[in-house]
Amino acid sequence: MDTNGFFGNWGGAYIPEVLYQTFLELREEYARCRKDPAFWQEYIELMETYSCRPTPLTHAKNLTKHFGGAQIYIKREDLNHTGAHKANNVMGQGLLVKRMGKKRVIAETGAGQHGMATATMAAKFGLDCTIYMGEEDVLRQRPNVFWMEKMGATVVPVQDGSRTLKDAINEAFRDWVTNVDDTHYVFGTACGPAPFPEMVAWFQSIISIEAHKQILNYHGKLPARVYACVGGGSNAMGVFKRFLEEDEVELVGVEAGGYGADSGAHAIRLSSDDASAGVAQGYKTMFLQDDDGQMKQTHSVAAGLDYVGVSPILTDLWEKKLVRFESATDDEVMTALDLTMKKEGIIPALESSHAFAGAFREVGSLSTEEAIIINQSGRGDKDIFTIAHAFDDPSWKEFIIERGKEYSNTDKQ
Amino acid sequence: MDTNGFFGNWGGAYIPEVLYQTFLELREEYARCRKDPAFWQEYIELMETYSCRPTPLTHAKNLTKHFGGAQIYIKREDLNHTGAHKANNVMGQGLLVKRMGKKRVIAETGAGQHGMATATMAAKFGLDCTIYMGEEDVLRQRPNVFWMEKMGATVVPVQDGSRTLKDAINEAFRDWVTNVDDTHYVFGTACGPAPFPEMVAWFQSIISIEAHKQILNYHGKLPARVYACVGGGSNAMGVFKRFLEEDEVELVGVEAGGYGADSGAHAIRLSSDDASAGVAQGYKTMFLQDDDGQMKQTHSVAAGLDYVGVSPILTDLWEKKLVRFESATDDEVMTALDLTMKKEGIIPALESSHAFAGAFREVGSLSTEEAIIINQSGRGDKDIFTIAHAFDDPSWKEFIIERGKEYSNTDKQ
Amino acid sequence: MQLEEQLRSKMQEKDILLMTHIVLGYPSLEVNREVIRQMVENGVDCIEMQIPFSEPMADGPVILKANQEALATGISVKDCLIFGAEMAATFDIPFLYMTYYNIIYKYGEESFFKNAAKTGIKGVIVPDLPPEIGQSFLEYADNNHVAPVLIFTPTSTDERMRELARHGRGFIYCVARRGVTGKKSELNEDFHQYLSRCQAATSLPLAVGFGIQDRDDIEALKGRADIAVIGSRTIKLVEAEGAAAVGPFIAGLR
Amino acid sequence: MQLEEQLRSKMQEKDILLMTHIVLGYPSLEVNREVIRQMVENGVDCIEMQIPFSEPMADGPVILKANQEALATGISVKDCLIFGAEMAATFDIPFLYMTYYNIIYKYGEESFFKNAAKTGIKGVIVPDLPPEIGQSFLEYADNNHVAPVLIFTPTSTDERMRELARHGRGFIYCVARRGVTGKKSELNEDFHQYLSRCQAATSLPLAVGFGIQDRDDIEALKGRADIAVIGSRTIKLVEAEGAAAVGPFIAGLR
Ligand SMILES: Cc1ncc(COP(=O)(O)O)c(C=O)c1O
Ligand SMILES: Cc1ncc(COP(=O)(O)O)c(C=O)c1O
């Protein structure tokens, strides 16, 4: 990151003037934290005692046998408290908020995982909390909304635009410019204005710091490849970061192919030609936008991946060919999920299942002497409404119909 | 455990003759495992790389402040893979099954957590799997049923008796006596015929072996008390076992008070006079039964606690006054759950919330120099249908009604 | 006369004896009474009366349901014992109680056996009490001259059979196969070898049960076993055709 | 004549100038045309025309909705620029574009400013481009004699204001409060202190916007600011009462 927050041609801080001072303070506090080994130590201790770090690296022997190629290792971010890697970033920012003395946090959320994590952190740190969530996502992820509210957060359904993640981000910014003095905006992914991309990637780097040690320990050498799904890019940056220092490790980001790269209904920013350079939501990156610069509708079966932009750090790595980008369609993702459940007893989130799908496509052609790491960014429990729906499970439907009827009847009384 | 499987006056193996030989082999294999340090080592490694052990011990500073008494520490079994302590037992038995060369596992399940854990283990170890679950519980815990099926298990709804846990156990025994040669019955709690109570408690003792080290490390001395909820008693035995060697630590088991001790609708076996000594489901313990010895209906808001019997090891410890037993009503439990979510950003399972409720009642009267440990046996996500229902959440109901309507409509087409 | 003697004297007259099973209180004691009458009149040699239990772990769907429905009518253990006494007093064949251990444990082992002895019940079958943890049970049985009937199964080793035979009285109940009551058993070569092992392990009469359903099954047992046990089959018959169907069915079995 | 000069000459005649805001294409360019006519005829001194953007991060609900509905009609950036040119050619007051940076970035900074200059547009307001990362933007603006209008806010330090003033042209847009467009601002003592700080930091004319709604607000600004900005207020007026209501409203403001 240069002094203006750029990574190569990407990033920056395209922010309304009213936030200038706050970003200055944030950048300074962040710089102090980075220089202070005690801060990272405090962060590690928090994650060890409140979340479940280090998360395991699981050798997926059955999947390995199934594909007959490289040894498949799964980095288990699903075992974090609140069920996804999002906790890493949020807890780190929580410590920062305490240092800055702010009393309130806000956040956007798509899949609801970042909202859950932020509501959790706010409860633990005793902060007021408001979560902005596209109305579309509120409907898709009602269980997460329920838990956020139970933890004391206010969840605001955003009814503007496409009523998904990007609109929630805009709305969070509107809140922030209004309540800038006492409020910190806990950005949920490695996007947004500097220093967010770098800061989020820093907190998430705990994933690859652990995985690097673990794979050397279990496999005796570095992995041939590391796979991660790419929504905003935080779990990908997290699991890539330490391995970027190792030339022999190929890093692969898997984007949401939705109904297919040619369908127009996807969220492929880097692995197709549909995106172009732009500036929105405070930063410069490759956006899915039309020729006028208006953002397009995106689609993915995974609520956490259908985002128009992508981390400027990843865009820089893409441009420099240091990370390879692929995509996986909704259908491929459901197949990969199904296989992983049956073979390993592990339920990846729909987001994470993209990384699995991307890896499954290629792993068979690697030697059995090699290893790959797949980052399981989260667990699939949260997706039961989507997954049961996607598998068209008849008893699930019946169950929901019955419950619905019960509630309709009691409501009438 | 004596040679006949008794702990004092309790336990034994009251099994049909057809199982005699299998139990002999099981007892012998178990004895070999206990003597073989490599087995425990293999178990630990499995839990470290597949589940998330050691699970953290979280200092609940906000709850501590709220009650103004002893330091509250929470043992985080919710962070296990599949979301509860049940994984400890199941993975251990999985290793045993592999040694015995059996190809199929069966299990009973109440809350669905043990079924989830068993289905998961079966997927990982490549075993056929059938789960027996009371029809009542199938309805209460549909999400768990969905995941078990997706992991390749067959879930059989049991329509006999009270259609809950005890009936699922009976049905699992019926399967076992039929398929005894190739099948292992993965008993889910520290009950049933010997060697199950001791074996399950042994695998679960990993909880207190870790917690003992952790509390000395964080608090500098032993805790004054350790709290656990008591269904069958496996999580309680797990978190008590190591501390039983320490005279100064008081152990407290919290049973399901349901609608209250006087209501008749509860599952209090040891902390009220409603239960009496009996023999069922293969072992002798205190059962909730009538004067003829017929088992009674039980009730708890927590599907995993409404069981008629209780671990014979706990009954022995109760008789010897080495563990104190209390109960918490459904209402107290919901209040404790609510407070824990708001104060700590942690969502205990309804079962585990009983331990919290029991601890909250007493912790204020202990000195702030002291510490207590509450065992959070599982996470509450699985309970969303029950919890949202119990909190009477209007947007949840609306959401379910809407979904139900959608499904009704598409089904008609 | 004790159970074994009684049976042996009948065995002199017939090439195989018949034992039947009923669940007390299902569908009612009145129907039980009628069914037993028909059984006795049509040549049944011995009847096991199951005192219902809420957790009949070793029983299959038919008897399981019978247990539950009997209990749902409100029948008590005391009702069962009074009825058992009445039957023993009325009919001149040996009656046994079959039940799970908890029923006896809660009633009190000593009182239970005293009651049985006093009311003329000849034996007790309990499927969930292995002899090594049933010492007091076995002692009370012997002291009261009520036969504790033990069970052999295809999974029992020769050694285990000899151990069981040491404690069993009256006869040995040989379970025909793995599994619970109610499903048809294959009476094949393996089964015959199993019965030979049973015979070698004990001098007590052998009863064979689990899935014995018709005249062919009984015919096949002749010369290999002393007693054929008809269990769920008559319960299903009563359900389908009423108590009156039992007499002709029994009559046609031998 | 460049923007600052134009404004200064008007400031000689009036005790405060009026700048208004419209969102191009909302509800349609036809209505925009009529609204602008009424504004000009009733004494508005300067108009900022917002080129709609799908992500108007700094705008409140009224303008946000206007952006979205304009885009839903299918309006393009080109449509907006043609319309802007028409207005600049038709009416003898300075017109500005207001938009988010991405619109200009995608169009091409150089082409955008060339177009603006050629069609008589006097200035550009972009709320999401801080000058330190807008070097090329600022250069193209200066080269084409189109004023880049920069923004002061109550959170800006004196130092930051001086830095902004160094890059700003035409006038400084002083945001009256924290927050987004559309909500009423308290024009209290704090606000007056803030305006004094603004004045001290720059010699450019000061426009005050965000929440200026009526004659009283404007009255209160006289002597403290040079330009009062009416934003969402007229959009709401058109929504509620149609374009014809704009003229009388404007006429009544001063
Ligand atoms: C489980 C999970 N994985 C991945 C993502 C995508 O975010 P990112 O690309 O920042 O990791 C999300 C976003 O919600 C998520 O919930
Ligand atoms: C989370 C959780 N805690 C506790 C229990 C109760 O079982 P036990 O008493 O054996 O720990 C269950 C049973 O399903 C459970 O799911």
Side-chain angles (χ1 to χ4, degrees):
Chain A
M1 184 169 79
D2 69 16
T3 49
N4 281 323
F6 283 87
F7 303 85
N9 299 311
W10 313 95
Y14 295 82
I15 49 170
E17 189 57 33
V18 67
L19 293 178
Y20 180 84
Q21 193 58 26
T22 282
F23 268 86
L24 204 68
E25 287 158 22
L26 182 61
R27 276 206 304 274
E28 284 169 6
E29 192 63 47
Y30 166 61
R32 271 192 293 273
C33 292
R34 287 222 48 161
K35 272 194 229 109
D36 179 2
F39 179 84
W40 187 258
Q41 194 47 42
E42 188 184 358
Y43 170 61
I44 295 285
E45 273 164 27
L46 175 64
M47 296 312 286
E48 281 178 3
T49 57
Y50 185 63
S51 192
C52 205
R53 306 216 70 93
T55 57
L57 185 70
T58 301
H59 189 186
K61 292 186 192 144
N62 302 328
L63 284 171
T64 300
K65 207 169 138 205
H66 180 79
F67 289 107
Q71 304 302 311
I72 301 176
Y73 285 86
I74 302 174
K75 181 63 175 163
R76 300 291 302 283
E77 293 303 302
D78 58 308
L79 291 173
N80 269 299
H81 183 47
T82 72
H85 71 293
K86 297 284 177 189
N88 302 329
N89 167 37
V90 166
M91 292 300 150
Q93 290 200 42
L95 291 176
L96 205 79
V97 169
K98 294 213 69 155
R99 283 170 73 122
M100 295 190 298
K102 299 209 166 179
K103 297 276 172 273
R104 177 174 178 264
V105 288
I106 58 174
E108 86 292 350
T109 195
Q113 287 305 107
H114 177 58
M116 268 291 276
T118 304
T120 297
M121 178 274 276
K124 174 149 182 84
F125 287 127
L127 306 167
D128 280 345
C129 179
T130 300
I131 304 292
Y132 292 94
M133 188 164 184
E135 201 179 37
E136 187 82 356
D137 291 328
V138 169
L139 291 178
R140 290 198 279 190
Q141 309 279 336
R142 170 60 61 184
N144 278 339
V145 175
F146 174 78
W147 296 121
M148 287 183 249
E149 289 179 347
K150 290 316 289 176
M151 284 188 292
T154 304
V155 180
V156 180
V158 177
Q159 294 163 347
D160 312 311
S162 56
R163 304 199 306 279
T164 61
L165 184 57
K166 72 172 178 56
D167 312 283
I169 293 178
N170 291 335
E171 202 57 31
F173 272 114
R174 290 186 192 107
D175 180 317
W176 206 12
V177 299
T178 311
N179 303 294
V180 53
D181 301 329
D182 70 337
T183 297
H184 175 71
Y185 178 5
V186 183
F187 212 88
T189 186
C191 294
F196 281 118
E198 194 188 84
M199 184 168 76
V200 174
W202 183 50
F203 289 128
Q204 293 292 3
S205 70
I206 195 171
I207 303 174
S208 52
I209 292 173
E210 290 172 5
H212 187 271
K213 261 197 228 138
Q214 289 167 321
I215 194 78
L216 289 180
N217 190 3
Y218 300 156
H219 182 63
K221 62 174 183 176
L222 288 169
R225 295 184 191 155
V226 177
Y227 294 84
C229 68
V230 181
S234 67
N235 90 84
M237 277 312 301
V239 75
F240 291 166
K241 208 151 194 281
R242 176 65 184 79
F243 293 107
L244 275 166
E245 299 165 29
E246 311 283 0
D247 287 347
E248 65 264 53
V249 181
E250 190 185 19
L251 306 174
V252 186
V254 186
E255 301 184 274
Y259 298 141
D262 300 332
S263 68
H266 61 71
I268 315 180
R269 289 78 32 105
L270 298 175
S271 55
S272 86
D273 295 334
D274 280 12
S276 60
V279 173
Q281 314 214 291
Y283 68 111
K284 183 186 285 185
T285 195
M286 295 293 282
F287 282 102
L288 286 166
Q289 55 183 336
D290 68 16
D291 293 341
D292 271 4
Q294 312 297 355
M295 297 301 144
K296 285 195 195 163
Q297 294 276 1
T298 53
H299 163 80
S300 169
V301 68
L305 298 186
D306 62 354
Y307 178 52
V308 288
V310 62
S311 174
I313 314 182
L314 285 175
T315 307
D316 183 44
L317 293 168
W318 161 77
E319 203 172 39
K320 293 175 175 150
K321 299 201 170 15
L322 293 172
V323 174
R324 171 158 64 90
F325 287 86
E326 303 286 342
S327 69
T329 64
D330 290 356
D331 285 347
E332 289 173 291
V333 162
M334 294 312 292
T335 306
L337 168 61
D338 203 41
L339 189 71
T340 306
M341 289 193 284
K342 294 228 159 47
K343 289 279 170 197
E344 300 291 345
I346 284 173
I347 310 174
L350 284 170
E351 290 79 10
S352 324
S353 298
H354 284 72
F356 285 77
F360 290 172
R361 213 186 276 152
E362 315 182 335
V363 66
S365 60
L366 290 172
S367 138
T368 57
E369 311 282 283
E370 300 294 343
I372 65 165
I373 294 176
I374 303 173
N375 196 37
Q376 182 176 352
S377 53
R379 57 174 149 91
D381 313 29
K382 69 167 177 74
D383 293 321
I384 182 146
F385 282 92
T386 316
I387 296 179
H389 184 83
F391 282 121
D392 209 23
D393 187 76
S395 13
W396 173 257
K397 286 186 177 177
E398 212 176 282
F399 167 69
I400 294 294
I401 291 173
E402 274 315 305
R403 277 295 164 108
K405 278 192 201 148
E406 265 170 53
Y407 285 147
S408 306
N409 293 341
T410 43
D411 276 10
K412 275 189 217 119
Q413 281 158 15
Chain B
M1 185 170 80
D2 69 17
T3 49
N4 281 323
F6 283 87
F7 302 86
N9 299 311
W10 314 95
Y14 295 81
I15 48 170
E17 189 56 33
V18 67
L19 294 178
Y20 180 84
Q21 193 56 26
T22 282
F23 268 87
L24 204 68
E25 287 158 22
L26 181 62
R27 275 206 305 274
E28 283 170 5
E29 193 64 47
Y30 166 60
R32 272 192 293 273
C33 292
R34 288 223 46 161
K35 271 193 229 111
D36 180 2
F39 180 84
W40 187 258
Q41 195 46 42
E42 189 185 357
Y43 171 61
I44 295 287
E45 274 165 26
L46 175 64
M47 296 312 288
E48 280 177 4
T49 57
Y50 185 62
S51 193
C52 205
R53 305 217 69 96
T55 58
L57 184 71
T58 302
H59 190 185
K61 292 186 191 145
N62 302 329
L63 285 171
T64 300
K65 208 169 137 206
H66 180 79
F67 289 106
Q71 303 303 311
I72 301 176
Y73 285 87
I74 302 174
K75 180 62 175 165
R76 300 292 302 283
E77 292 304 301
D78 59 307
L79 292 173
N80 269 299
H81 182 46
T82 73
H85 71 292
K86 298 284 177 188
N88 303 329
N89 168 37
V90 165
M91 292 300 150
Q93 291 199 41
L95 292 177
L96 206 78
V97 169
K98 294 213 68 155
R99 283 170 73 123
M100 295 189 297
K102 299 209 166 179
K103 297 276 172 276
R104 177 172 178 264
V105 288
I106 58 174
E108 88 291 350
T109 195
Q113 286 306 105
H114 176 58
M116 269 291 274
T118 304
T120 298
M121 180 274 277
K124 175 152 182 83
F125 287 127
L127 306 167
D128 279 344
C129 179
T130 301
I131 304 292
Y132 292 94
M133 188 165 183
E135 200 178 39
E136 188 82 354
D137 292 327
V138 169
L139 292 177
R140 289 197 280 190
Q141 308 281 336
R142 171 59 63 182
N144 279 339
V145 175
F146 175 78
W147 296 121
M148 286 184 249
E149 290 179 346
K150 290 317 286 177
M151 284 187 292
T154 304
V155 180
V156 180
V158 177
Q159 293 163 347
D160 311 310
S162 56
R163 306 200 305 279
T164 61
L165 183 57
K166 74 173 176 57
D167 311 285
I169 293 178
N170 292 334
E171 203 56 31
F173 271 115
R174 289 185 192 108
D175 180 317
W176 205 12
V177 298
T178 311
N179 304 294
V180 52
D181 301 330
D182 70 336
T183 297
H184 175 70
Y185 178 5
V186 183
F187 213 88
T189 186
C191 293
F196 281 117
E198 193 189 82
M199 184 167 76
V200 174
W202 183 50
F203 288 127
Q204 294 293 2
S205 70
I206 195 171
I207 303 173
S208 52
I209 292 173
E210 290 172 6
H212 186 271
K213 261 196 225 137
Q214 289 166 322
I215 194 79
L216 288 180
N217 190 1
Y218 300 156
H219 181 64
K221 62 173 183 176
L222 288 170
R225 295 183 192 156
V226 178
Y227 294 85
C229 68
V230 181
S234 68
N235 89 85
M237 276 313 301
V239 76
F240 291 167
K241 206 151 193 285
R242 177 64 185 80
F243 292 108
L244 275 166
E245 299 165 29
E246 311 283 2
D247 287 346
E248 64 264 53
V249 182
E250 189 185 19
L251 307 174
V252 186
V254 185
E255 301 184 272
Y259 297 140
D262 300 332
S263 68
H266 60 71
I268 316 180
R269 289 81 27 108
L270 298 176
S271 55
S272 86
D273 296 333
D274 279 12
S276 61
V279 173
Q281 313 215 291
Y283 68 110
K284 184 186 283 183
T285 196
M286 295 292 283
F287 282 102
L288 285 165
Q289 56 184 337
D290 68 15
D291 292 341
D292 270 3
Q294 312 297 355
M295 297 300 142
K296 285 194 196 163
Q297 295 275 0
T298 53
H299 163 79
S300 168
V301 68
L305 297 187
D306 61 354
Y307 178 51
V308 288
V310 62
S311 175
I313 315 182
L314 286 175
T315 307
D316 182 45
L317 294 168
W318 161 76
E319 203 172 39
K320 293 177 173 147
K321 299 203 170 13
L322 293 171
V323 174
R324 171 159 64 91
F325 286 85
E326 303 285 342
S327 68
T329 63
D330 289 357
D331 284 348
E332 289 174 290
V333 161
M334 295 311 293
T335 306
L337 168 61
D338 204 42
L339 189 71
T340 306
M341 289 193 284
K342 295 230 159 45
K343 289 280 168 195
E344 299 290 344
I346 284 174
I347 310 175
L350 284 171
E351 289 80 9
S352 325
S353 298
H354 284 72
F356 285 76
F360 290 173
R361 211 186 279 151
E362 315 181 335
V363 65
S365 61
L366 290 171
S367 137
T368 57
E369 311 283 284
E370 301 294 343
I372 64 165
I373 294 177
I374 302 173
N375 196 38
Q376 184 177 352
S377 52
R379 57 174 149 90
D381 312 30
K382 67 164 178 78
D383 292 321
I384 181 145
F385 282 91
T386 316
I387 296 179
H389 184 85
F391 281 121
D392 210 25
D393 187 77
S395 11
W396 173 258
K397 287 185 177 178
E398 212 176 282
F399 167 70
I400 295 294
I401 291 174
E402 275 315 305
R403 278 295 164 107
K405 277 192 202 146
E406 266 170 52
Y407 284 147
S408 305
N409 293 341
T410 42
D411 276 8
K412 274 191 216 116
Q413 281 160 17
Chain C
M1 208 161 37
Q2 287 186 32
L3 182 57
E4 185 181 347
E5 286 175 73
Q6 259 180 310
L7 294 173
R8 288 207 184 279
S9 82
K10 283 182 182 250
M11 281 157 59
Q12 312 259 302
E13 298 154 28
K14 306 183 184 175
D15 46 7
I16 194 157
L17 304 189
L18 272 186
M19 179 164 92
T20 51
H21 179 119
I22 59 153
V23 176
L24 294 177
Y26 179 71
S28 67
L29 290 177
E30 288 67 54
V31 175
N32 289 155
R33 196 177 276 118
E34 172 59 16
V35 168
I36 289 173
R37 198 183 55 75
Q38 298 222 6
M39 286 172 169
V40 176
E41 286 177 359
N42 286 279
V44 161
D45 303 291
C46 176
I47 295 178
E48 49 168 334
M49 299 179 292
Q50 181 162 358
I51 305 174
F53 180 47
S54 57
E55 320 299 311
M57 179 211 262
D59 283 297
V62 174
I63 296 182
L64 166 59
K65 176 166 156 275
N67 272 264
Q68 287 174 1
E69 304 219 340
L71 289 173
T73 69
I75 194 168
S76 69
V77 173
K78 210 172 140 206
D79 296 337
C80 293
L81 299 185
I82 291 170
F83 180 86
E86 179 196 329
M87 291 304 105
T90 309
F91 298 106
D92 189 26
I93 61 161
F95 283 90
L96 288 75
Y97 285 134
M98 182 267 167
T99 194
Y100 288 83
Y101 180 54
N102 198 46
I103 296 296
I104 296 171
Y105 177 76
K106 278 293 281 186
Y107 194 88
E109 290 177 337
E110 185 171 8
S111 316
F112 188 87
F113 280 107
K114 281 211 169 120
N115 175 292
K118 203 177 69 193
T119 59
I121 298 295
K122 297 296 172 182
V124 175
I125 308 177
V126 175
D128 64 345
L129 183 69
E132 58 276 13
I133 55 175
Q135 292 99 333
S136 58
F137 175 94
L138 294 171
E139 278 166 27
Y140 286 121
D142 280 355
N143 294 345
N144 287 283
H145 309 292
V146 174
V149 175
L150 297 196
I151 296 167
F152 286 1
T153 80
T155 60
S156 309
T157 59
D158 295 345
E159 189 193 342
R160 177 67 179 168
M161 285 182 182
R162 281 194 300 275
E163 169 68 12
L164 293 166
R166 223 162 50 74
H167 300 287
R169 303 286 181 268
F171 62 93
I172 292 288
Y173 192 123
C174 302
V175 162
R177 54 167 167 71
R178 292 156 178 78
V180 289
T181 53
K183 243 176 58 193
K184 177 130 183 84
S185 300
E186 286 294 334
L187 306 182
N188 55 19
E189 189 47 40
D190 275 1
F191 174 70
H192 294 152
Q193 275 185 16
Y194 160 58
L195 278 193
S196 309
R197 289 207 298 119
C198 295
Q199 267 161 347
T202 183
S203 56
L204 287 169
L206 296 185
V208 173
F210 277 40
I212 308 299
Q213 311 214 329
D214 53 27
R215 189 186 179 109
D216 287 351
D217 290 344
I218 291 169
E219 203 55 41
L221 287 179
K222 281 185 187 163
R224 302 181 197 275
D226 306 301
I227 307 167
V229 186
I230 306 280
S232 331
R233 184 71 189 79
T234 51
I235 297 183
K236 283 198 274 193
L237 191 67
V238 175
E239 281 175 359
E241 305 175 30
V246 173
F249 170 72
I250 298 290
L253 282 177
R254 246 182 336 200
Chain D
M1 208 164 34
Q2 289 186 31
L3 182 57
E4 184 179 347
E5 286 175 74
Q6 261 181 308
L7 294 173
R8 289 207 181 278
S9 84
K10 284 180 179 251
M11 280 157 59
Q12 311 260 302
E13 297 155 28
K14 306 184 182 175
D15 46 10
I16 194 158
L17 304 188
L18 271 187
M19 178 164 94
T20 52
H21 179 119
I22 59 153
V23 176
L24 293 177
Y26 180 73
S28 67
L29 290 176
E30 290 67 53
V31 175
N32 290 155
R33 195 177 275 114
E34 171 60 15
V35 168
I36 289 173
R37 197 185 55 76
Q38 297 222 8
M39 286 172 169
V40 177
E41 286 176 0
N42 287 280
V44 162
D45 303 289
C46 178
I47 294 178
E48 49 169 332
M49 299 179 293
Q50 180 162 358
I51 305 174
F53 180 45
S54 57
E55 320 300 312
M57 177 211 264
D59 282 297
V62 173
I63 296 181
L64 166 59
K65 175 166 158 276
N67 272 264
Q68 287 173 2
E69 305 219 340
L71 289 173
T73 69
I75 195 168
S76 69
V77 173
K78 210 171 141 208
D79 296 336
C80 293
L81 299 185
I82 292 171
F83 180 87
E86 179 196 329
M87 292 304 105
T90 310
F91 298 106
D92 190 27
I93 61 161
F95 284 89
L96 289 75
Y97 286 135
M98 181 267 167
T99 194
Y100 288 82
Y101 181 55
N102 198 46
I103 297 296
I104 297 170
Y105 177 77
K106 278 292 282 186
Y107 194 88
E109 289 177 337
E110 184 169 10
S111 317
F112 188 87
F113 280 106
K114 283 212 164 119
N115 176 292
K118 204 178 69 193
T119 58
I121 299 296
K122 297 295 173 183
V124 175
I125 308 178
V126 175
D128 63 346
L129 185 68
E132 58 277 11
I133 57 175
Q135 292 99 333
S136 58
F137 174 96
L138 294 170
E139 278 166 29
Y140 287 121
D142 279 356
N143 294 345
N144 288 285
H145 309 291
V146 175
V149 175
L150 296 195
I151 296 167
F152 286 1
T153 80
T155 60
S156 310
T157 59
D158 295 347
E159 187 192 343
R160 176 67 179 169
M161 285 183 181
R162 281 193 299 274
E163 170 67 12
L164 292 166
R166 224 163 47 76
H167 300 287
R169 303 287 180 267
F171 61 93
I172 292 289
Y173 192 123
C174 303
V175 162
R177 54 166 167 73
R178 291 158 179 77
V180 290
T181 52
K183 244 177 56 194
K184 177 130 181 85
S185 299
E186 286 293 336
L187 307 181
N188 53 18
E189 189 49 37
D190 275 0
F191 175 70
H192 294 152
Q193 275 187 15
Y194 159 59
L195 279 192
S196 308
R197 290 206 297 120
C198 295
Q199 267 163 348
T202 183
S203 56
L204 287 168
L206 296 185
V208 173
F210 278 40
I212 308 298
Q213 312 215 328
D214 55 25
R215 190 188 178 110
D216 286 352
D217 290 343
I218 291 169
E219 202 56 39
L221 288 177
K222 283 184 186 164
R224 303 183 196 271
D226 305 302
I227 308 167
V229 186
I230 306 281
S232 331
R233 185 69 190 84
T234 53
I235 296 184
K236 283 198 275 191
L237 191 68
V238 176
E239 282 174 359
E241 305 176 30
V246 173
F249 168 73
I250 297 290
L253 282 176
R254 252 185 327 205

